[in-house]
Amino acid sequence: MDLLKDKVVVLSGVGPGLGRALGEEAALMGAHLVLASRTPKRLERMAEVVRAHGRRALVCPTDITDEGARAHLVEAALAEFGRVDCLINNAFGIPPMDPISTLSLDSLRAAQETNVFAPLRLSALFADALAAAPDKPGGSILMINSCVLYQSQPEFSGYKLSKGTLAHLSSSLATELGPRGIRVNSVAPSYIYEDVNKAYFDWLAAESGRTHEEVYAEKAAPTDLKRLATAEEVARASLYFASDLAGCVTGQVLNVDCGEFHAV
């Protein structure tokens, strides 16, 4: 599928699981990648995957919480490719998993720097390039959110604060940047069945005296499909928003959760 043929996608947050899947699936769809995270070795591994699919990759080690580093990322992307068609804000810092009334303000501020303020500033800094994207229907921004938006467990409260704020930010940016032809959308996965969660399920199984398969069944039970999405499935659904097929879609949140939560 050449849905993103020769488009330039900036991927902030190149980690295991969904980050890797977003990069590889974008390359398979024909995109060139600008890869940004703090870990050069991880970036180089991702770049090898992109190049193996015949696409170009720019490795740009970046601390996205630093304004100078963010500005350098924009400059490097344009110097290498001369255009940017899509910015994917995938980087995420996990807040402490405790009730929100017990969390320190410093820990919450640290999480918001990565989870909210960095996507805001990257979106603002890339806006001129996205507005100038040469192909119709224009540039787009994709925020990777989470189905934690719909949950109220105390241990998820700091996480929900970040993702809830990001959802409101995305909506505001869609309205603000829409007149410039820039679309802003969000994707909200639930549990993704990839290496990190597989290890988590192993831990839950060991703690509770169950098997991995029993833990999986418990997590999949609330879904309509009775299974969990893979990282590749979430990536493919996400990249729809970067394609011309979504040319008139903006300000939306797409749940990619095998039917666990239903939007009204």
Side-chain angles (χ1 to χ4, degrees), residues 96-99 152-159:
M97 302 293 276
D98 293 301
S152 294
Q153 291 94 318
E155 67 272 19
F156 291 155
S157 55
Y159 187 0

Side-chain angles (χ1 to χ4, degrees), residues 199-251:
Y200 176 52
F201 290 2
D202 284 339
W203 179 82
L204 289 176
E207 288 290 301
S208 60
R210 293 178 291 169
T211 66
H212 181 103
E213 291 72 23
E214 287 171 329
V215 173
Y216 179 98
E218 176 188 77
K219 300 303 183 184
T223 73
D224 293 339
L225 299 180
K226 304 306 177 189
R227 69 178 185 88
L228 303 178
T230 66
E232 291 74 21
E233 288 175 315
V234 176
R236 291 173 200 139
S238 303
L239 292 168
Y240 154 76
F241 284 124
S243 78
D244 295 351
L245 294 177
C248 63
V249 181
T250 194

Side-chain angles (χ1 to χ4, degrees), residues 147-211:
C147 281
V148 76
L149 291 171
Y150 315 115
Q151 298 173 339
S152 294
Q153 291 94 318
E155 67 272 19
F156 291 155
S157 55
Y159 187 0
K160 185 174 181 179
L161 176 66
S162 281
K163 290 305 189 180
T165 308
L166 183 63
H168 289 293
L169 170 63
S170 302
S171 177
S172 295
L173 285 174
T175 299
E176 182 175 333
L177 299 179
R180 303 183 66 185
I182 301 170
R183 298 173 292 109
V184 184
N185 291 290
S186 303
V187 169
S190 187
Y191 282 107
I192 303 173
Y193 196 57
E194 43 74 49
D195 288 346
V196 173
N197 276 327
K198 287 177 183 178
Y200 176 52
F201 290 2
D202 284 339
W203 179 82
L204 289 176
E207 288 290 301
S208 60
R210 293 178 291 169
T211 66

